[in-house]
Amino acid sequence: MEYEACRALLESRLKTERYVHSLGVAETAGKLARRFGVDEAKARLAGLLHDNAREFPVASMIEEARRRAIPVTPLDIAMPLLLHAPLGAYRLKELYGIEDAAIAQAVARHTVGGAGMTPLDKIIYFADMIEPGRDYPGVSKLRKLAEEAPLDKILLAAFSESITFVLQKGQLIHPDTVTARNEILLAGTQV
Ligand SMILES: [Fe+2]
Ligand SMILES: [Fe+2]
């Protein structure tokens, strides 16, 4: 399915607010892809569809994941909303006819990151945090970094922001976010 057909199907399945957020992520991901020499069409499509599984009620996500043999971890049971990322990746093929593994991986990793993230994975993770509809205290600093910093420096700031947020809320820190952040630090990026 091409972008326009995906957009129309997504619009019919998501609540308006989530759909508008998805358009913002697609647009932001496209701009970042241009800046970092990543395939812009893939970035726009991954951005558009990253939250496609948000159409499922949170209470049904564990069941929907198990039905598709998607692994469900204890963290997923504690925070079932996390499953919209792997479920969304699965449904790219199931509902949107998209079989591109790079797009599927970027959708699967958009909530908590992961080991060995590709530039496309990083762009989708970050675009989700800074699309024009986002409004939280640290967002303008992250948007400024998006204009001028190297991709890994941007992601380091994004992971730090995300971990700080969950710490302040007293919530679980996902180990995949820690892994992704550590990888960047171990690769020698300066804060
Ligand atoms: Fe999401
Ligand atoms: Fe999102």
Side-chain angles (χ1 to χ4, degrees), residues 18 21 25 50-51 54 84 110 128 134:
R18 183 66 45 190
H21 162 70
V25 176
H50 78 287
D51 271 345
R54 287 294 292 261
H84 80 275
H110 86 266
D128 191 26
R134 292 290 198 197

Side-chain angles (χ1 to χ4, degrees), residues 5-72:
C6 290
R7 187 205 58 70
L9 180 55
L10 188 77
E11 184 178 20
S12 73
R13 301 188 74 102
L14 290 189
K15 289 183 181 148
T16 304
E17 189 186 345
R18 183 66 45 190
Y19 168 68
V20 170
H21 162 70
S22 301
L23 293 183
V25 176
E27 182 197 341
T28 305
K31 281 187 197 160
L32 289 166
R34 225 170 14 254
R35 190 175 162 229
F36 292 110
V38 169
D39 186 315
E40 200 179 323
K42 283 192 189 192
R44 289 184 74 240
L45 202 49
L48 178 75
L49 295 173
H50 78 287
D51 271 345
N52 78 80
R54 287 294 292 261
E55 73 183 73
F56 291 125
V58 175
S60 75
M61 283 191 183
I62 292 171
E63 187 194 333
E64 294 288 350
R66 287 193 170 133
R67 185 181 299 162
R68 294 168 176 83
I70 293 170
V72 176

